[in-house]
Amino acid sequence: MAQPSHTLPQVCPNCDGFPAVRITLGGRDRTGARRTITAHCPACHGTGKRLARRIVITSAGR
């Protein structure tokens, strides 16, 4: 009997599933906390998943 196959999650190949990161700016604010910014993956727009490609079907009618 065949075993059920589980599909693997479609992880973004550019960020490997880590779509948002915090980058320190090298300084501290008045309270002593580090100044950081958030950078999102430009390929998946911060979702961490591969986007499905759209298939465009055009008719060749007259």
Side-chain angles (χ1 to χ4, degrees):
M1 181 175 261
Q3 297 293 323
S5 62
H6 299 285
T7 58
L8 296 174
Q10 297 294 325
V11 177
C12 174
N14 293 334
C15 65
D16 291 328
F18 295 97
V21 294
R22 303 287 290 184
I23 301 171
T24 182
L25 298 175
R28 295 186 182 265
D29 61 6
R30 291 185 207 173
T31 63
R34 291 185 186 259
R35 295 184 315 168
T36 60
I37 59 171
T38 303
H40 296 285
C41 175
C44 65
H45 303 289
T47 62
K49 295 183 180 181
R50 182 181 303 181
L51 300 176
R53 293 186 181 197
R54 293 183 185 178
I55 299 174
V56 178
I57 300 174
T58 59
S59 62
R62 294 182 194 190

Tab-separated table of all heavy atoms in Angstrom:
chain	number	residue	atom	x	y	z
A	1	MET	N	0.854	-1.167	0.000
A	1	MET	CA	0.000	0.000	0.000
A	1	MET	C	0.900	1.230	0.000
A	1	MET	O	1.888	1.289	0.714
A	1	MET	CB	-0.893	-0.022	1.234
A	1	MET	CG	-1.829	1.149	1.297
A	1	MET	SD	-2.947	1.025	2.667
A	1	MET	CE	-4.350	0.395	1.820
A	2	ALA	N	0.542	2.212	-0.791
A	2	ALA	CA	1.355	3.414	-0.927
A	2	ALA	C	1.211	4.309	0.295
A	2	ALA	O	0.143	4.417	0.884
A	2	ALA	CB	0.944	4.172	-2.175
A	3	GLN	N	2.302	4.926	0.673
A	3	GLN	CA	2.294	5.864	1.793
A	3	GLN	C	1.852	7.234	1.291
A	3	GLN	O	2.203	7.623	0.182
A	3	GLN	CB	3.695	5.966	2.410
A	3	GLN	CG	4.186	4.687	3.010
A	3	GLN	CD	3.365	4.310	4.241
A	3	GLN	OE1	2.966	5.169	5.001
A	3	GLN	NE2	3.118	3.030	4.407
A	4	PRO	N	1.105	7.960	2.107
A	4	PRO	CA	0.711	9.305	1.668
A	4	PRO	C	1.937	10.216	1.602
A	4	PRO	O	2.811	10.165	2.452
A	4	PRO	CB	-0.268	9.776	2.746
A	4	PRO	CG	0.059	8.948	3.938
A	4	PRO	CD	0.583	7.632	3.422
A	5	SER	N	1.990	10.996	0.554
A	5	SER	CA	3.121	11.908	0.424
A	5	SER	C	2.711	13.278	0.938
A	5	SER	O	1.635	13.774	0.631
A	5	SER	CB	3.583	11.997	-1.022
A	5	SER	OG	2.529	12.509	-1.805
A	6	HIS	N	3.552	13.860	1.736
A	6	HIS	CA	3.294	15.178	2.289
A	6	HIS	C	4.077	16.195	1.474
A	6	HIS	O	5.259	16.009	1.214
A	6	HIS	CB	3.717	15.255	3.758
A	6	HIS	CG	2.973	14.292	4.622
A	6	HIS	ND1	1.669	14.496	4.994
A	6	HIS	CD2	3.335	13.112	5.165
A	6	HIS	CE1	1.271	13.494	5.748
A	6	HIS	NE2	2.271	12.627	5.865
A	7	THR	N	3.411	17.245	1.104
A	7	THR	CA	4.104	18.272	0.350
A	7	THR	C	4.884	19.154	1.307
A	7	THR	O	4.431	19.479	2.397
A	7	THR	CB	3.118	19.136	-0.445
A	7	THR	OG1	2.194	19.722	0.464
A	7	THR	CG2	2.365	18.315	-1.464
A	8	LEU	N	6.067	19.525	0.897
A	8	LEU	CA	6.897	20.402	1.704
A	8	LEU	C	6.394	21.834	1.568
A	8	LEU	O	5.869	22.214	0.524
A	8	LEU	CB	8.353	20.313	1.241
A	8	LEU	CG	9.006	18.953	1.413
A	8	LEU	CD1	10.386	18.969	0.791
A	8	LEU	CD2	9.084	18.588	2.875
A	9	PRO	N	6.538	22.629	2.607
A	9	PRO	CA	6.100	24.020	2.492
A	9	PRO	C	6.930	24.747	1.447
A	9	PRO	O	8.123	24.489	1.285
A	9	PRO	CB	6.337	24.601	3.887
A	9	PRO	CG	7.285	23.680	4.536
A	9	PRO	CD	7.099	22.328	3.917
A	10	GLN	N	6.294	25.639	0.739
A	10	GLN	CA	6.961	26.389	-0.315
A	10	GLN	C	7.694	27.573	0.307
A	10	GLN	O	7.145	28.648	0.456
A	10	GLN	CB	5.941	26.857	-1.349
A	10	GLN	CG	5.247	25.727	-2.061
A	10	GLN	CD	6.207	24.930	-2.927
A	10	GLN	OE1	7.136	25.475	-3.511
A	10	GLN	NE2	5.997	23.643	-2.992
A	11	VAL	N	8.939	27.355	0.693
A	11	VAL	CA	9.751	28.380	1.354
A	11	VAL	C	10.396	29.246	0.281
A	11	VAL	O	10.860	28.754	-0.743
A	11	VAL	CB	10.820	27.731	2.250
A	11	VAL	CG1	11.704	28.778	2.876
A	11	VAL	CG2	10.160	26.887	3.312
A	12	CYS	N	10.435	30.528	0.534
A	12	CYS	CA	11.050	31.477	-0.393
A	12	CYS	C	12.530	31.122	-0.562
A	12	CYS	O	13.260	31.012	0.422
A	12	CYS	CB	10.892	32.902	0.138
A	12	CYS	SG	11.750	34.143	-0.838
A	13	PRO	N	13.008	30.955	-1.790
A	13	PRO	CA	14.411	30.601	-1.997
A	13	PRO	C	15.376	31.747	-1.705
A	13	PRO	O	16.557	31.518	-1.481
A	13	PRO	CB	14.469	30.201	-3.472
A	13	PRO	CG	13.335	30.923	-4.098
A	13	PRO	CD	12.265	31.017	-3.047
A	14	ASN	N	14.893	32.971	-1.676
A	14	ASN	CA	15.792	34.110	-1.442
A	14	ASN	C	16.088	34.321	0.039
A	14	ASN	O	17.192	34.707	0.400
A	14	ASN	CB	15.203	35.382	-2.034
A	14	ASN	CG	15.155	35.317	-3.539
A	14	ASN	OD1	15.935	34.614	-4.158
A	14	ASN	ND2	14.229	36.024	-4.130
A	15	CYS	N	15.081	34.099	0.899
A	15	CYS	CA	15.294	34.370	2.324
A	15	CYS	C	15.277	33.101	3.172
A	15	CYS	O	15.459	33.166	4.376
A	15	CYS	CB	14.240	35.355	2.833
A	15	CYS	SG	12.553	34.722	2.784
A	16	ASP	N	15.038	31.950	2.577
A	16	ASP	CA	14.987	30.656	3.269
A	16	ASP	C	14.000	30.643	4.427
A	16	ASP	O	14.215	29.992	5.448
A	16	ASP	CB	16.372	30.246	3.773
A	16	ASP	CG	17.307	29.899	2.631
A	16	ASP	OD1	16.817	29.404	1.603
A	16	ASP	OD2	18.519	30.126	2.765
A	17	GLY	N	12.905	31.378	4.301
A	17	GLY	CA	11.865	31.369	5.321
A	17	GLY	C	12.064	32.378	6.433
A	17	GLY	O	11.309	32.387	7.397
A	18	PHE	N	13.084	33.211	6.344
A	18	PHE	CA	13.301	34.278	7.329
A	18	PHE	C	13.050	35.617	6.630
A	18	PHE	O	13.991	36.313	6.247
A	18	PHE	CB	14.729	34.223	7.883
A	18	PHE	CG	15.003	32.971	8.665
A	18	PHE	CD1	15.619	31.897	8.066
A	18	PHE	CD2	14.623	32.878	9.993
A	18	PHE	CE1	15.869	30.736	8.771
A	18	PHE	CE2	14.868	31.734	10.714
A	18	PHE	CZ	15.488	30.652	10.096
A	19	PRO	N	11.778	36.001	6.464
A	19	PRO	CA	11.443	37.135	5.605
A	19	PRO	C	11.716	38.505	6.202
A	19	PRO	O	11.859	39.465	5.474
A	19	PRO	CB	9.958	36.957	5.358
A	19	PRO	CG	9.471	36.266	6.575
A	19	PRO	CD	10.587	35.339	6.976
A	20	ALA	N	11.777	38.621	7.509
A	20	ALA	CA	11.998	39.929	8.133
A	20	ALA	C	13.140	39.812	9.133
A	20	ALA	O	13.188	38.879	9.931
A	20	ALA	CB	10.743	40.409	8.836
A	21	VAL	N	14.050	40.761	9.068
A	21	VAL	CA	15.185	40.768	9.987
A	21	VAL	C	15.320	42.149	10.609
A	21	VAL	O	14.893	43.146	10.049
A	21	VAL	CB	16.503	40.381	9.276
A	21	VAL	CG1	16.462	38.950	8.800
A	21	VAL	CG2	16.790	41.304	8.123
A	22	ARG	N	15.896	42.200	11.794
A	22	ARG	CA	16.176	43.471	12.461
A	22	ARG	C	17.653	43.764	12.279
A	22	ARG	O	18.506	42.944	12.576
A	22	ARG	CB	15.849	43.381	13.949
A	22	ARG	CG	14.422	42.989	14.281
A	22	ARG	CD	13.455	44.053	14.034
A	22	ARG	NE	13.612	45.128	15.006
A	22	ARG	CZ	12.819	46.168	15.043
A	22	ARG	NH1	11.841	46.277	14.207
A	22	ARG	NH2	13.011	47.103	15.925
A	23	ILE	N	17.957	44.962	11.811
A	23	ILE	CA	19.332	45.370	11.564
A	23	ILE	C	19.660	46.514	12.505
A	23	ILE	O	18.936	47.500	12.568
A	23	ILE	CB	19.520	45.811	10.102
A	23	ILE	CG1	19.167	44.663	9.167
A	23	ILE	CG2	20.943	46.281	9.859
A	23	ILE	CD1	19.108	45.064	7.719
A	24	THR	N	20.744	46.359	13.244
A	24	THR	CA	21.143	47.416	14.162
A	24	THR	C	21.859	48.523	13.400
A	24	THR	O	22.586	48.270	12.444
A	24	THR	CB	22.043	46.875	15.294
A	24	THR	OG1	22.344	47.940	16.178
A	24	THR	CG2	23.323	46.271	14.773
A	25	LEU	N	21.621	49.751	13.816
A	25	LEU	CA	22.226	50.902	13.161
A	25	LEU	C	23.539	51.313	13.822
A	25	LEU	O	24.172	52.264	13.400
A	25	LEU	CB	21.242	52.080	13.177
A	25	LEU	CG	19.949	51.835	12.414
A	25	LEU	CD1	19.008	53.011	12.591
A	25	LEU	CD2	20.234	51.608	10.946
A	26	GLY	N	23.942	50.621	14.864
A	26	GLY	CA	25.234	50.871	15.487
A	26	GLY	C	25.209	51.881	16.610
A	26	GLY	O	26.249	52.268	17.109
A	27	GLY	N	24.065	52.318	17.028
A	27	GLY	CA	23.996	53.290	18.111
A	27	GLY	C	22.918	52.918	19.114
A	27	GLY	O	22.242	51.912	18.975
A	28	ARG	N	22.795	53.732	20.132
A	28	ARG	CA	21.769	53.504	21.150
A	28	ARG	C	20.956	54.781	21.327
A	28	ARG	O	21.435	55.877	21.104
A	28	ARG	CB	22.404	53.104	22.463
A	28	ARG	CG	23.124	51.756	22.384
A	28	ARG	CD	23.618	51.329	23.753
A	28	ARG	NE	24.333	50.079	23.664
A	28	ARG	CZ	23.780	48.892	23.874
A	28	ARG	NH1	22.526	48.794	24.193
A	28	ARG	NH2	24.502	47.796	23.794
A	29	ASP	N	19.692	54.595	21.745
A	29	ASP	CA	18.855	55.765	22.001
A	29	ASP	C	19.015	56.214	23.453
A	29	ASP	O	19.875	55.721	24.178
A	29	ASP	CB	17.395	55.477	21.649
A	29	ASP	CG	16.798	54.352	22.471
A	29	ASP	OD1	17.462	53.858	23.395
A	29	ASP	OD2	15.654	53.972	22.201
A	30	ARG	N	18.192	57.160	23.885
A	30	ARG	CA	18.336	57.718	25.242
A	30	ARG	C	18.103	56.704	26.346
A	30	ARG	O	18.657	56.824	27.430
A	30	ARG	CB	17.346	58.858	25.422
A	30	ARG	CG	17.673	60.053	24.601
A	30	ARG	CD	16.726	61.164	24.933
A	30	ARG	NE	16.593	62.043	23.783
A	30	ARG	CZ	15.754	63.023	23.706
A	30	ARG	NH1	14.939	63.281	24.702
A	30	ARG	NH2	15.707	63.769	22.632
A	31	THR	N	17.263	55.690	26.085
A	31	THR	CA	16.980	54.690	27.112
A	31	THR	C	18.025	53.583	27.152
A	31	THR	O	17.972	52.714	28.011
A	31	THR	CB	15.595	54.063	26.881
A	31	THR	OG1	15.597	53.384	25.617
A	31	THR	CG2	14.507	55.118	26.912
A	32	GLY	N	18.953	53.572	26.209
A	32	GLY	CA	20.001	52.551	26.187
A	32	GLY	C	19.701	51.393	25.257
A	32	GLY	O	20.500	50.481	25.130
A	33	ALA	N	18.532	51.413	24.612
A	33	ALA	CA	18.189	50.339	23.673
A	33	ALA	C	18.877	50.587	22.333
A	33	ALA	O	19.130	51.723	21.956
A	33	ALA	CB	16.679	50.272	23.476
A	34	ARG	N	19.176	49.511	21.640
A	34	ARG	CA	19.824	49.653	20.333
A	34	ARG	C	18.828	50.185	19.311
A	34	ARG	O	17.664	49.826	19.315
A	34	ARG	CB	20.356	48.313	19.844
A	34	ARG	CG	21.512	47.813	20.656
A	34	ARG	CD	22.040	46.534	20.022
A	34	ARG	NE	23.054	45.945	20.853
A	34	ARG	CZ	24.346	46.073	20.604
A	34	ARG	NH1	24.755	46.746	19.567
A	34	ARG	NH2	25.223	45.522	21.402
A	35	ARG	N	19.320	51.024	18.418
A	35	ARG	CA	18.489	51.527	17.328
A	35	ARG	C	18.511	50.495	16.210
A	35	ARG	O	19.583	50.104	15.743
A	35	ARG	CB	19.003	52.865	16.822
A	35	ARG	CG	18.895	53.953	17.843
A	35	ARG	CD	19.328	55.275	17.291
A	35	ARG	NE	20.588	55.133	16.529
A	35	ARG	CZ	21.094	56.060	15.754
A	35	ARG	NH1	20.496	57.202	15.621
A	35	ARG	NH2	22.221	55.860	15.110
A	36	THR	N	17.329	50.038	15.790
A	36	THR	CA	17.242	49.015	14.759
A	36	THR	C	16.211	49.419	13.720
A	36	THR	O	15.346	50.257	13.965
A	36	THR	CB	16.830	47.651	15.350
A	36	THR	OG1	15.561	47.782	15.981
A	36	THR	CG2	17.848	47.135	16.335
A	37	ILE	N	16.322	48.787	12.550
A	37	ILE	CA	15.320	48.914	11.506
A	37	ILE	C	14.912	47.505	11.093
A	37	ILE	O	15.645	46.536	11.321
A	37	ILE	CB	15.838	49.700	10.285
A	37	ILE	CG1	17.069	49.027	9.689
A	37	ILE	CG2	16.124	51.137	10.643
A	37	ILE	CD1	17.516	49.623	8.361
A	38	THR	N	13.752	47.370	10.489
A	38	THR	CA	13.282	46.079	10.006
A	38	THR	C	13.415	46.048	8.491
A	38	THR	O	12.987	46.971	7.810
A	38	THR	CB	11.815	45.848	10.386
A	38	THR	OG1	11.694	45.948	11.801
A	38	THR	CG2	11.334	44.473	9.954
A	39	ALA	N	14.009	44.991	7.971
A	39	ALA	CA	14.150	44.807	6.528
A	39	ALA	C	13.369	43.562	6.123
A	39	ALA	O	13.477	42.515	6.752
A	39	ALA	CB	15.620	44.640	6.155
A	40	HIS	N	12.551	43.702	5.085
A	40	HIS	CA	11.741	42.594	4.584
A	40	HIS	C	12.334	42.075	3.278
A	40	HIS	O	12.924	42.829	2.514
A	40	HIS	CB	10.302	43.040	4.339
A	40	HIS	CG	9.601	43.463	5.579
A	40	HIS	ND1	9.145	42.570	6.512
A	40	HIS	CD2	9.300	44.680	6.052
A	40	HIS	CE1	8.580	43.232	7.500
A	40	HIS	NE2	8.663	44.522	7.250
A	41	CYS	N	12.132	40.795	3.037
A	41	CYS	CA	12.612	40.166	1.806
A	41	CYS	C	11.884	40.787	0.615
A	41	CYS	O	10.657	40.812	0.586
A	41	CYS	CB	12.358	38.661	1.860
A	41	CYS	SG	12.786	37.782	0.343
A	42	PRO	N	12.614	41.283	-0.385
A	42	PRO	CA	11.951	41.903	-1.525
A	42	PRO	C	11.272	40.896	-2.458
A	42	PRO	O	10.372	41.254	-3.205
A	42	PRO	CB	13.082	42.627	-2.252
A	42	PRO	CG	14.309	41.904	-1.859
A	42	PRO	CD	14.058	41.397	-0.464
A	43	ALA	N	11.666	39.634	-2.396
A	43	ALA	CA	11.088	38.649	-3.301
A	43	ALA	C	9.712	38.171	-2.828
A	43	ALA	O	8.788	38.040	-3.625
A	43	ALA	CB	12.019	37.459	-3.446
A	44	CYS	N	9.565	37.929	-1.517
A	44	CYS	CA	8.293	37.406	-1.007
A	44	CYS	C	7.505	38.460	-0.239
A	44	CYS	O	6.425	38.164	0.272
A	44	CYS	CB	8.532	36.187	-0.126
A	44	CYS	SG	9.441	36.537	1.391
A	45	HIS	N	8.033	39.665	-0.129
A	45	HIS	CA	7.370	40.795	0.542
A	45	HIS	C	7.064	40.497	2.004
A	45	HIS	O	6.031	40.889	2.524
A	45	HIS	CB	6.098	41.204	-0.193
A	45	HIS	CG	6.345	41.569	-1.614
A	45	HIS	ND1	7.004	42.714	-1.988
A	45	HIS	CD2	6.054	40.911	-2.772
A	45	HIS	CE1	7.084	42.755	-3.302
A	45	HIS	NE2	6.529	41.674	-3.806
A	46	GLY	N	7.944	39.766	2.659
A	46	GLY	CA	7.808	39.519	4.086
A	46	GLY	C	6.908	38.373	4.475
A	46	GLY	O	6.569	38.220	5.633
A	47	THR	N	6.515	37.515	3.541
A	47	THR	CA	5.670	36.376	3.892
A	47	THR	C	6.474	35.122	4.190
A	47	THR	O	6.020	34.266	4.931
A	47	THR	CB	4.678	36.059	2.758
A	47	THR	OG1	5.402	35.696	1.589
A	47	THR	CG2	3.766	37.226	2.482
A	48	GLY	N	7.647	34.979	3.583
A	48	GLY	CA	8.480	33.796	3.806
A	48	GLY	C	8.104	32.612	2.945
A	48	GLY	O	8.710	31.556	3.026
A	49	LYS	N	7.080	32.780	2.112
A	49	LYS	CA	6.636	31.682	1.255
A	49	LYS	C	6.814	32.063	-0.199
A	49	LYS	O	6.746	33.225	-0.568
A	49	LYS	CB	5.165	31.379	1.516
A	49	LYS	CG	4.938	30.876	2.918
A	49	LYS	CD	3.508	30.523	3.148
A	49	LYS	CE	3.328	30.032	4.578
A	49	LYS	NZ	1.961	29.661	4.837
A	50	ARG	N	7.048	31.060	-0.995
A	50	ARG	CA	7.213	31.266	-2.430
A	50	ARG	C	5.870	31.659	-3.025
A	50	ARG	O	4.842	31.058	-2.738
A	50	ARG	CB	7.701	29.985	-3.080
A	50	ARG	CG	7.957	30.116	-4.554
A	50	ARG	CD	8.416	28.834	-5.135
A	50	ARG	NE	9.619	28.388	-4.418
A	50	ARG	CZ	10.277	27.300	-4.715
A	50	ARG	NH1	9.871	26.537	-5.689
A	50	ARG	NH2	11.339	26.955	-4.038
A	51	LEU	N	5.888	32.668	-3.851
A	51	LEU	CA	4.660	33.114	-4.491
A	51	LEU	C	4.349	32.220	-5.681
A	51	LEU	O	5.243	31.837	-6.435
A	51	LEU	CB	4.797	34.563	-4.959
A	51	LEU	CG	5.087	35.581	-3.863
A	51	LEU	CD1	5.305	36.950	-4.482
A	51	LEU	CD2	3.944	35.628	-2.882
A	52	ALA	N	3.084	31.871	-5.826
A	52	ALA	CA	2.680	31.052	-6.955
A	52	ALA	C	2.749	31.890	-8.225
A	52	ALA	O	2.329	33.038	-8.241
A	52	ALA	CB	1.273	30.519	-6.742
A	53	ARG	N	3.273	31.306	-9.251
A	53	ARG	CA	3.349	32.025	-10.518
A	53	ARG	C	1.987	31.988	-11.185
A	53	ARG	O	1.296	30.986	-11.177
A	53	ARG	CB	4.385	31.398	-11.429
A	53	ARG	CG	5.776	31.553	-10.915
A	53	ARG	CD	6.754	31.051	-11.918
A	53	ARG	NE	8.090	31.187	-11.365
A	53	ARG	CZ	9.168	31.135	-12.108
A	53	ARG	NH1	9.082	30.964	-13.397
A	53	ARG	NH2	10.349	31.270	-11.553
A	54	ARG	N	1.639	33.091	-11.760
A	54	ARG	CA	0.372	33.153	-12.480
A	54	ARG	C	0.561	32.633	-13.889
A	54	ARG	O	1.528	32.954	-14.566
A	54	ARG	CB	-0.125	34.587	-12.546
A	54	ARG	CG	-0.512	35.126	-11.213
A	54	ARG	CD	-1.056	36.500	-11.398
A	54	ARG	NE	-1.337	37.095	-10.100
A	54	ARG	CZ	-1.780	38.313	-9.950
A	54	ARG	NH1	-2.014	39.084	-10.971
A	54	ARG	NH2	-2.023	38.785	-8.735
A	55	ILE	N	-0.388	31.846	-14.319
A	55	ILE	CA	-0.371	31.356	-15.677
A	55	ILE	C	-1.392	32.171	-16.458
A	55	ILE	O	-2.572	32.194	-16.117
A	55	ILE	CB	-0.712	29.854	-15.738
A	55	ILE	CG1	0.324	29.057	-14.946
A	55	ILE	CG2	-0.803	29.379	-17.179
A	55	ILE	CD1	-0.005	27.591	-14.826
A	56	VAL	N	-0.926	32.839	-17.466
A	56	VAL	CA	-1.806	33.677	-18.267
A	56	VAL	C	-2.159	32.904	-19.521
A	56	VAL	O	-1.295	32.505	-20.300
A	56	VAL	CB	-1.121	35.014	-18.629
A	56	VAL	CG1	-2.020	35.846	-19.490
A	56	VAL	CG2	-0.726	35.733	-17.358
A	57	ILE	N	-3.456	32.696	-19.701
A	57	ILE	CA	-3.923	31.991	-20.880
A	57	ILE	C	-4.579	33.024	-21.793
A	57	ILE	O	-5.485	33.735	-21.405
A	57	ILE	CB	-4.946	30.893	-20.503
A	57	ILE	CG1	-4.278	29.890	-19.568
A	57	ILE	CG2	-5.479	30.228	-21.748
A	57	ILE	CD1	-5.218	28.857	-19.020
A	58	THR	N	-4.067	33.090	-22.992
A	58	THR	CA	-4.634	34.026	-23.958
A	58	THR	C	-5.284	33.228	-25.080
A	58	THR	O	-4.821	32.151	-25.457
A	58	THR	CB	-3.557	34.938	-24.552
A	58	THR	OG1	-2.572	34.134	-25.185
A	58	THR	CG2	-2.913	35.777	-23.466
A	59	SER	N	-6.340	33.746	-25.562
A	59	SER	CA	-7.009	33.065	-26.678
A	59	SER	C	-6.446	33.613	-27.971
A	59	SER	O	-6.144	34.794	-28.117
A	59	SER	CB	-8.511	33.300	-26.599
A	59	SER	OG	-8.793	34.675	-26.712
A	60	ALA	N	-6.302	32.753	-28.929
A	60	ALA	CA	-5.752	33.136	-30.225
A	60	ALA	C	-6.881	33.337	-31.236
A	60	ALA	O	-6.724	33.092	-32.416
A	60	ALA	CB	-4.763	32.080	-30.709
A	61	GLY	N	-8.027	33.761	-30.749
A	61	GLY	CA	-9.173	33.954	-31.635
A	61	GLY	C	-9.023	35.185	-32.501
A	61	GLY	O	-8.170	36.030	-32.295
A	62	ARG	N	-9.856	35.276	-33.492
A	62	ARG	CA	-9.797	36.397	-34.413
A	62	ARG	C	-10.659	37.511	-33.982
A	62	ARG	O	-11.646	37.570	-33.514
A	62	ARG	CB	-10.205	35.938	-35.807
A	62	ARG	CG	-9.207	34.986	-36.355
A	62	ARG	CD	-9.633	34.600	-37.729
A	62	ARG	NE	-8.849	33.424	-38.105
A	62	ARG	CZ	-8.826	32.953	-39.294
A	62	ARG	NH1	-9.527	33.509	-40.248
A	62	ARG	NH2	-8.100	31.909	-39.585
